[in-house]
Amino acid sequence: MSDPRHIASRENPGFKTLRALSDDPRRQGRALLDGIHLVTTCFARGIAVEQLLVSESGKKNAEVDELLRGAANVECVILRDSLFREISGVSTPTGIAAVIGIPPAPTGGLSGDAVFLDAVQDAGNVGAILRSAAAAGVRDVVLGPGCAGAWTQRVLRAGQGAHFSLAIREQADLAAALEASAATSIATVARGGTSLYELDLSGPVVWLVGNEGAGLAPDLIAAASVRTTIPLASGSESLNVAAATAVCLFEASRQRLKRPANPLRA
Amino acid sequence: MSDPRHIASRENPGFKTLRALSDDPRRQGRALLDGIHLVTTCFARGIAVEQLLVSESGKKNAEVDELLRGAANVECVILRDSLFREISGVSTPTGIAAVIGIPPAPTGGLSGDAVFLDAVQDAGNVGAILRSAAAAGVRDVVLGPGCAGAWTQRVLRAGQGAHFSLAIREQADLAAALEASAATSIATVARGGTSLYELDLSGPVVWLVGNEGAGLAPDLIAAASVRTTIPLASGSESLNVAAATAVCLFEASRQRLKRPANPLRA
């Protein structure tokens, strides 16, 4: 670790930059990853870390200390606990965070499956959907206007490192991206669609997922190849959007799993 | 609507009771349901509402006004906007909330499927799981110690009315409840369990779901009939607990759906 700078005042220009970064990562093109798990994932995936931020009490934590030893050539800034808390966004932070550059938006077309998010507003939902997408082997996630920012701390926290396995596009024109895609596009709707379990999901799919309250925009539903609905118990209106997306992605995953060969029946 | 009381001061004893209720609903045995959707659901399900709370600006909202007209015999309290915001827990409340008595814990055994939550801490996760359980036709949800309180505002908000279709037990001894149940018990584990898709889920199931970080307690895993894992893409560690629970519950739901009879093949 290079000789660390210390920040002890809210008036420090470096702190003001970090605060601004914490509030609006896109503006600086950088993101702040808080907590041991995300920072470790960063290093494990070979992501270039611009800066490590450590709180005074975080520095005394054995796991944090080990992380710092392994990152000898990364610039390190030590913050007074109260200042670290201000940029961390959780009430009891472990005391380590990494600043990284937000990866440039991927160029070229989509490959394989994709998830399109239309105005999914809740950061926890966006993060959980990114996590499910990565876990289901989806590579491309495309966020339209009105979605929670993918590189904000709450989404990063809920994503648990999924960001680093995904190609994420933000503020995208979903209708245009849909038109450019050759995959079957499936609009998820709360009612009236074909049962999810009757769909053949063996080929590449673009999943269209809508806003928590209003659902998908009508033009996206109209542009989709298929509309699907998850059959629910009578009396139930709908699922949480992240739960519904997980059910859809893993139904595709289930259909594609190679059944183990059974030699007795071969 | 009876002639409404007005509360304009934080020092008002009625306001102090509401604040305490908002912070810790269990202590008063009452819950606070914020927002038009939850209040409407309450009335639609015939839940006894003790009190309606309306903010001064909420009173000018046409939807709120209609709700109040339909609830002529319920006590109504009008709060200054700043006070309403303090008890509502969202930054821009619509301005209507209902106070209800928390239903007594169900007595007797479990019936059919159940979901057991072991120290699921995040209120959004608990609420989403309740919502998925109701939507998958599960009746019983059993929360062990360490779970977010089922009747707190954040859980109620994420549950979107699911609470009223469920039999919810809190602070339960999960191991004892498991021993008393005759259903197949399935421990959800991040790795090493039987693939979810290889399980026969046609009979009643008790799903065991664990803490966001630590997973299920070892004694619960040991006591379960089966351990199951959702097969994930390589490189992925785990799903969000609410997403994983939705995938499990709807795999059971899928297996049980009656396929539509095909007359051509009959």
Side-chain angles (χ1 to χ4, degrees):
Chain A
M1 177 173 67
S2 61
D3 212 24
R5 268 198 298 145
H6 280 76
I7 298 186
S9 157
R10 301 193 73 239
E11 301 310 315
N12 181 302
F15 179 72
K16 288 183 178 173
T17 307
L18 289 172
R19 259 232 68 135
L21 166 59
S22 164
D23 290 343
D24 185 1
R26 270 276 155 214
R27 172 163 276 176
Q28 292 186 28
R30 306 191 300 159
L32 206 152
L33 285 78
D34 180 59
I36 290 181
H37 178 262
L38 281 178
V39 176
T40 308
T41 306
C42 248
F43 284 117
R45 300 292 180 101
I47 311 292
V49 172
E50 294 183 6
Q51 218 173 36
L52 281 171
L53 312 176
V54 185
S55 74
E56 284 172 354
S57 26
K59 213 171 154 359
K60 297 175 194 146
N61 175 311
E63 272 187 282
V64 169
D65 194 56
E66 203 188 306
L67 251 173
L68 292 177
R69 279 168 205 273
N73 49 357
V74 178
E75 187 196 358
C76 180
V77 179
I78 298 184
L79 289 101
R80 184 165 284 182
D81 285 4
S82 58
L83 299 182
F84 190 94
R85 230 178 355 253
E86 248 185 84
I87 58 160
S88 135
V90 293
S91 49
T92 52
T94 328
I96 185 159
V99 176
I100 64 163
I102 294 176
T107 52
L110 307 174
S111 67
D113 293 320
V115 176
F116 283 27
L117 301 185
D118 177 25
V120 177
Q121 289 177 318
D122 181 81
N125 284 338
V126 171
I129 291 173
L130 294 174
R131 190 172 171 191
S132 293
V138 172
R139 205 190 68 103
D140 288 294
V141 179
V142 186
L143 289 81
C147 287
W151 297 92
T152 56
Q153 287 198 66
R154 287 194 56 214
V155 173
L156 280 160
R157 198 154 50 237
Q160 289 278 310
H163 290 69
F164 305 123
S165 328
L166 297 168
I168 299 174
R169 293 162 173 85
E170 290 193 274
Q171 297 292 336
D173 179 339
L174 297 181
L178 190 56
E179 213 178 300
S181 158
T184 303
S185 53
I186 305 183
T188 55
V189 294
R191 58 193 67 79
T194 307
S195 162
L196 174 68
Y197 311 123
E198 288 169 20
L199 299 180
D200 174 358
L201 302 170
S202 53
V205 170
V206 170
W207 295 98
L208 299 169
V209 173
N211 172 265
E212 286 87 349
L216 277 166
D219 66 317
L220 289 172
I221 297 179
S225 332
V226 187
R227 290 179 305 134
T228 193
T229 297
I230 300 168
L232 304 185
S234 68
S236 283
E237 284 170 40
S238 65
L239 283 170
N240 161 277
V241 64
T245 307
V247 170
C248 290
L249 295 177
F250 281 88
E251 171 58 12
S253 170
R254 185 194 69 80
Q255 289 190 15
R256 294 164 191 178
L257 270 181
K258 288 187 194 74
R259 301 275 151 200
N262 183 340
L264 293 177
R265 295 196 190 171
Chain B
M1 180 174 65
S2 62
D3 212 22
R5 267 199 298 147
H6 280 76
I7 298 186
S9 157
R10 300 192 75 239
E11 300 311 314
N12 182 303
F15 179 72
K16 288 184 177 172
T17 306
L18 289 172
R19 260 232 68 135
L21 167 60
S22 163
D23 291 342
D24 185 0
R26 270 277 157 214
R27 172 164 275 176
Q28 292 186 26
R30 306 191 299 160
L32 208 152
L33 285 78
D34 181 59
I36 290 180
H37 178 262
L38 281 179
V39 177
T40 309
T41 306
C42 248
F43 284 118
R45 300 293 181 100
I47 310 291
V49 172
E50 294 182 6
Q51 217 173 36
L52 280 171
L53 312 176
V54 185
S55 75
E56 283 172 354
S57 25
K59 211 172 155 2
K60 296 176 194 145
N61 177 311
E63 270 186 283
V64 169
D65 194 57
E66 204 187 306
L67 251 173
L68 292 177
R69 278 168 207 273
N73 47 357
V74 178
E75 186 196 359
C76 180
V77 180
I78 298 183
L79 289 101
R80 185 166 283 181
D81 285 4
S82 57
L83 300 183
F84 190 93
R85 228 175 1 250
E86 250 185 83
I87 56 159
S88 135
V90 294
S91 50
T92 52
T94 328
I96 186 160
V99 177
I100 64 163
I102 296 176
T107 53
L110 307 174
S111 67
D113 293 318
V115 176
F116 282 28
L117 302 184
D118 177 24
V120 177
Q121 288 177 320
D122 181 82
N125 284 338
V126 171
I129 290 172
L130 293 175
R131 190 172 171 192
S132 293
V138 172
R139 203 191 71 103
D140 288 294
V141 180
V142 185
L143 290 81
C147 287
W151 298 92
T152 56
Q153 287 198 65
R154 287 194 54 215
V155 174
L156 281 160
R157 197 153 53 237
Q160 289 278 311
H163 290 68
F164 305 122
S165 326
L166 296 168
I168 299 174
R169 290 162 175 86
E170 290 192 275
Q171 298 291 336
D173 179 339
L174 297 181
L178 191 55
E179 214 178 298
S181 157
T184 303
S185 52
I186 305 183
T188 55
V189 294
R191 59 193 66 81
T194 307
S195 161
L196 174 68
Y197 311 123
E198 288 169 20
L199 299 179
D200 174 358
L201 302 170
S202 52
V205 171
V206 170
W207 295 97
L208 298 170
V209 174
N211 172 264
E212 287 88 349
L216 278 167
D219 66 316
L220 289 173
I221 298 179
S225 333
V226 187
R227 289 179 305 135
T228 192
T229 296
I230 300 168
L232 304 185
S234 67
S236 283
E237 285 170 38
S238 65
L239 282 169
N240 162 278
V241 64
T245 307
V247 170
C248 291
L249 295 176
F250 281 88
E251 172 58 12
S253 171
R254 184 193 71 79
Q255 289 190 15
R256 294 166 190 176
L257 269 181
K258 288 189 194 71
R259 302 275 152 199
N262 184 337
L264 293 177
R265 295 195 189 172

